[in-house]
Amino acid sequence: MTPGSEFKPSANVAQLRESATIAVSQKAKALKAAGREIIDLGAGEPDFDTPAFIKVAAQRAIDAGATKYTAVDGILPLREAIAAEANRAWKGSEKVTAAGVVVSTGSKQSLFNACFTLFGPGDEVLVPTPAWTSYYEMVSLARATAVPVTGNPDRGFKVSVAMLEAAATPRTKGLMLNSPSNPTGSVYSPDELRAILTLAHERGWWVLSDEIYLRIAYGKAATSSLDEAPSRDRLVVINGVAKAYAMTGWRIGWSITTPKLAAAMTAFQSHTTSNAATVSQHAALAALTMREDADAAVSSMVAQFEKRRDAALAILRTEPRINVLAPDGAFYLYLCAPGAGTTVDAGAAFAAHLLEKSGVAIVPGSAFYTPDWVRVSYAADQAQVEEAMRRLVAAFRDLV
Ligand code: PLP
C-alpha cells in the first residue's frame, strides 16, 4: 500500500473523538519508553492481578475443551448466574431470566449493543455529566444525539429529577446512568435512584444503567437500578467482571433486560463479534458462582482502594484551595484544576503541565465534558499514589 495514501473517514465515524483516557495512557507509555519516570494515574484499570481461583477455573475450562464458539448470547450457566445475581435482592414479580441476559466482549460492547439497538436518528439521550467519555460517542455512533445534563458539583455532580426534566424534550428516548460514577466516584442513594427511575418510567424513557463499579463502594453498598426501578420494563442494566474482579483483559460484560430487547441485541451481536471469548466466559462464571472466594477477593481489593482513597484525599486536603470531590465508590478522584473558570480548558492545561513537569499522568475533564476538572485514578500502588498527590499539590501551588 502506498504510504500516506488518502483516506477519508466515512460519515459513520467522521465526528468520532479519540478516547482521551486511552490517549493519556499512550502518552504516558511513550514518555516511559523514552526513559522518563512516570506515575500513571490515567488508566481506569485495577492494578491487582485476577484472583487465582478464577485463573485456575479458566485453565480447567481450556483443558476441558472450552475452545469453540458458544451461543451468541453466552453460555447458559453464566447467563443463569447473572440472572440469579440480578434477582438476589428483588422482591417484585418481574424476575430476570437467562433469556434477558446477553453476554458480550466487555461491558463496553454491551453498552454499544444497547445504544445501537435502541437509539437512532432524531432520538435524544440524556447523559448526566460528567460521564464516561464513551457514552457520548456511542450515542453519536447510533446517530442519535447525546444531551449532556451537567450535575451540581456541590452534590458530587449528581443530577436531580428537576435537571433531567429541564433537559428533556419530546424527542428524549433514553437516559444513561452510572453509579458509582466514572469519573466522579459519586454514588446515587436508593431514594435518588428511585426518583430518577420513576421519572424515566413515567416519561417512557429507556434507562441504560451502567453498574460496572457497583461492587466498588465504600462505607455502604451501592444500589442497583434493578432494585429501585418501579418497573423493569424499559431498563437495561450493564455490568461485567472488569473492575470488581480485576479482569479487564478477559473482556466479559453483560446486559440484563427484557427477553425481547435481549433477542434484538443478540441478533445485532451475531453480525459483529458473535460470542464473547469462550474461556473468558468460564472465568466469569467462576467469579460469579464461587461466592466465598469471590467475596473475599473483592473485599480485599475494595479495602485497599479505600485506604488509597483516604491517603490521597489527606494529601490533597493539605492545600485548601484544591476542590476535590469525596468519592463513595469507583477508584477515581475528581478535582477542579487551577485556572478553572478563567481559561478555556483548564483541566487539559493542568494535566499537560503535570505530565511534562512532574511526571504524573491524569485525565483532563474535557474527556467527560467538564473541562475545568481533572480525573485521578487511584487504582495504583499506594506509595505511588501518595507521591503523585504530593507532586500534584506542588504543581497546583505553582499554578494558582
Ligand atoms: N463503563 C464505565 C463507566 C467504565 O469506566 C468502563 C471502563 O473504563 C467501562 C464501562 C468498560 O468496561 P469493560 O472493560 O467491561 O468494557
Side-chain angles (χ1 to χ4, degrees), residues 308-318 324-327 333 389:
R308 297 168 187 177
R309 175 197 68 163
D310 292 345
L313 277 175
I315 295 169
L316 293 174
R317 284 179 175 151
T318 59
V324 56
L325 307 180
L333 293 169
M389 292 306 96

Side-chain angles (χ1 to χ4, degrees), residues 143-221:
R143 304 198 188 196
T145 304
V147 178
V149 183
T150 304
N152 180 349
D154 297 335
R155 294 183 57 243
F157 277 110
K158 287 192 274 188
V159 295
S160 62
V161 163
M163 288 172 176
L164 294 171
E165 277 176 326
T169 75
R171 286 182 300 282
T172 305
K173 178 95 185 277
L175 165 67
M176 311 293 295
L177 284 183
N178 178 217
S179 173
S181 150
N182 174 10
T184 60
S186 295
V187 178
Y188 283 83
S189 72
D191 288 349
E192 290 166 339
L193 211 50
R194 196 174 319 116
I196 291 173
L197 291 164
T198 301
L199 172 73
H201 177 63
E202 287 165 2
R203 300 288 181 96
W205 301 338
W206 277 94
V207 176
L208 272 57
S209 183
D210 176 354
E211 303 184 355
I212 192 77
Y213 296 101
L214 194 73
R215 295 203 69 179
I216 306 176
Y218 312 113
K220 298 200 264 296

Side-chain angles (χ1 to χ4, degrees), residues 34-105:
R36 286 276 308 274
E37 180 259 337
I38 302 289
I39 304 179
D40 187 356
L41 302 186
E45 176 164 39
D47 55 321
F48 304 113
D49 196 5
T50 299
F53 77 94
I54 296 173
K55 291 199 220 172
V56 169
Q59 280 152 359
R60 287 199 182 128
I62 294 178
D63 292 342
T67 58
K68 306 282 197 237
Y69 291 134
T70 70
V72 170
D73 50 358
I75 54 174
L76 187 59
L78 178 56
R79 287 187 291 121
E80 284 174 341
I82 292 164
E85 174 111 357
N87 291 324
R88 259 213 298 174
W90 175 252
K91 291 171 200 75
S93 57
E94 296 166 277
K95 293 242 190 279
V96 171
T97 64
V101 176
V102 184
V103 176
S104 301
T105 301

Side-chain angles (χ1 to χ4, degrees), residues 17 20 24 27 334-341 343-357 360-368 370-375 399:
R17 298 194 320 163
V24 168
K27 177 107 197 272
Y334 213 48
L335 55 105
C336 202
T343 51
V344 180
D345 198 346
F350 187 46
H353 177 93
L354 204 61
L355 185 56
E356 297 293 341
K357 301 273 186 320
V360 175
I362 59 173
V363 180
S366 50
F368 314 101
T370 39
D372 279 344
W373 295 70
V374 290
R375 187 194 78 177
L399 293 173

